[in-house]
Amino acid sequence: MYIAQQLRKENIAEYLLYMWQVEDIVRAYGCSLTRIRKEYIDRFDYTDEQKEEMTDWYGDLVRMMNQEGCREQGHLQINRIVMQQLTELNARLLDSTKFPFYTSEYYKVLPYIVELRKKRAGNEEEPEIETCFNALYGVMMLKLQKKDISPDTQHAIKEITTYIGMLNDYYFKDKAGELEL
């Protein structure tokens, strides 16, 4: 909760990846708030008040996951909205002639997006930005599992990270009203 609040203000890309991880944590505990509290929240060095706030936050997430039908897979509406905002901003940036470096980075990343879509059959209609996030999240999970990542994948992720980093910066400029398309 505290990390999510901070990331939402500072880095929307990291926020979204973090929230996807939180969704997976909730699933790992069977969407059981009791288990989340006993087996997860109680491990942290928080005050009782902070633990209650965390329990309430996770309780809200469990409720939303149940209501939105994403107990097993998929993403919460709050996260899908962020993805939609990033997808729409990406399209606006690419449509503008004012961001040649962003457009250039897009064309560097596009072959990786096409390749990733081929590997994930059935996701051809997935927005390009979501494909990038799925790649970043997948590599993040591989690293957490201490699995090897091929040099080709590392290179692709480096390019995707640069691209998403640029989008992240433009997102905050757009939110501040400082982005003129």
Side-chain angles (χ1 to χ4, degrees), residues 8-65:
R8 178 119 182 141
K9 293 178 203 168
E10 296 175 1
N11 191 317
I12 199 67
E14 287 183 14
Y15 164 80
L16 191 56
L17 292 169
Y18 177 79
M19 288 303 295
W20 284 7
Q21 187 177 25
V22 167
E23 290 170 342
D24 282 346
I25 288 168
V26 170
R27 289 182 187 110
Y29 289 101
C31 294
S32 165
L33 186 57
T34 303
R35 284 189 62 206
I36 292 168
R37 174 64 194 244
K38 286 181 182 176
E39 299 171 34
Y40 185 69
I41 296 171
D42 283 348
R43 295 186 330 189
F44 293 99
D45 188 27
Y46 290 141
T47 65
D48 288 342
E49 183 181 326
Q50 288 173 316
K51 287 181 181 180
E52 285 306 313
E53 288 175 354
M54 291 287 291
T55 301
D56 289 346
W57 188 69
Y58 274 97
D60 288 341
L61 293 175
V62 168
R63 180 183 48 75
M64 288 187 292
M65 289 175 78

Side-chain angles (χ1 to χ4, degrees), residues 12 21 28 72 102 111 122 133 143 165 173 178:
I12 199 67
Q21 187 177 25
E72 303 296 323
Y102 184 81
F133 272 90
K143 286 180 179 179
K173 286 180 181 176
E178 299 169 359

Side-chain angles (χ1 to χ4, degrees), residues 111-151:
Y112 302 121
I113 294 170
V114 171
E115 188 176 332
L116 288 164
R117 285 182 171 172
K118 283 182 191 174
K119 291 180 180 181
R120 296 184 56 209
N123 290 323
E124 294 83 11
E125 299 300 315
E126 178 180 83
E128 293 168 340
I129 296 301
E130 190 166 347
T131 300
C132 291
F133 272 90
N134 280 323
L136 293 170
Y137 189 74
V139 168
M140 185 175 84
M141 291 295 103
L142 289 173
K143 286 180 179 179
L144 286 172
Q145 297 167 22
K146 298 186 183 340
K147 293 189 176 176
D148 289 333
I149 300 162
S150 74

Side-chain angles (χ1 to χ4, degrees), residues 93-107:
L93 289 166
L94 293 174
D95 285 344
S96 174
T97 58
K98 296 180 180 181
F99 304 96
F101 293 113
Y102 184 81
T103 301
S104 174
E105 194 60 38
Y106 167 77
Y107 284 109

